[in-house]
Amino acid sequence: MKRLHIRKKLNRSHGGNFLIFLLLAIFAVFMGLPLWYNIVSAFKPPEEIFLFPPRLYVTNPTERNFTQLFQLVTNLTIPFNRYLFNSVFISVVSTTLCVMIGAMAAYPFAKKEFAGKKILWKLIMTTLLFSGGVTAIPSYIIKAKLGLINTYWVLILPSIASPLQMFLMRQFMLQVPDEILESARIDGASEFRIFLHIVMPNVKPALLTVVVLAFTSIWNTGSNGVVYDEALKLLPSALGQISAGGIARTGVTAAATLLLLIPPILAFIVTQSKMLQTMAHSGIKS
């Protein structure tokens, strides 16, 4: 009885659980500090913004930064609604194409056997090791040769092929039982119908995750030196013009950044449970 009592006591690692949660809480605080500081700075008057050391709270909140932001965007050379339209249009089109092509590309890697499958998949996964800066020059040359520079397509097409989104879709598709697909084939269903009516409804968590990740990435992207016509640039370009006014516009820049953060944050809040489910399943099979 004494041995059983000791074993039970050792299995209850309350101290270990507390330490893990404490470390996670510390990391969460450090990750959330930049966002909190941006929110606070958006409501700070100038005399509080330039205090040293910086404060993580505001004593006299004001909406002056948002008022000045509205005045500045109305005086831009290109109407602000044009930047907004460009960002919304490119984000929606790119996200839609990214999800469609990513899902169709992930399906054969998850549920089909073909020559060179493992080698091709390893090559695709290898691209995750490189940042965009490594391939910036060859990527620009290819875009220029295709005549995409200074068009909407130069922002849309590169965002369609995303190895990360394809990886998440494939990992979730692996969880769909092969028996269900075989039954559908026996009943005479085509591969496209199986993909559309059986596979896709069962990977909704991954689908929503890909939508949020793709939309957030595209929404926050700039012109990246490939769009020179001001009428084709996105919201971050307008933010760049506003912040170019120097430190006097620090509060206005914080207000503009806060407004740009709202759509991705809302998208994450709405789909966070599905995203966590996708991340939990993404490492089960490889």
Side-chain angles (χ1 to χ4, degrees), residues 40-57:
V40 171
S41 297
F43 295 94
K44 282 184 177 181
E47 59 270 15
E48 291 190 38
I49 291 178
F50 302 109
L51 287 177
F52 187 83
R55 295 178 179 177
L56 296 177
Y57 60 91

Side-chain angles (χ1 to χ4, degrees), residues 1 23 27 59 72 98 106 108 156 160 183 210 212 228 237 266 282:
M1 293 296 294
L23 291 175
F27 287 138
T59 306
L72 288 171
C98 179
I156 294 174
I160 293 176
S183 299
V210 170
V212 174
Y228 306 107
S237 297
L266 290 178
S282 62

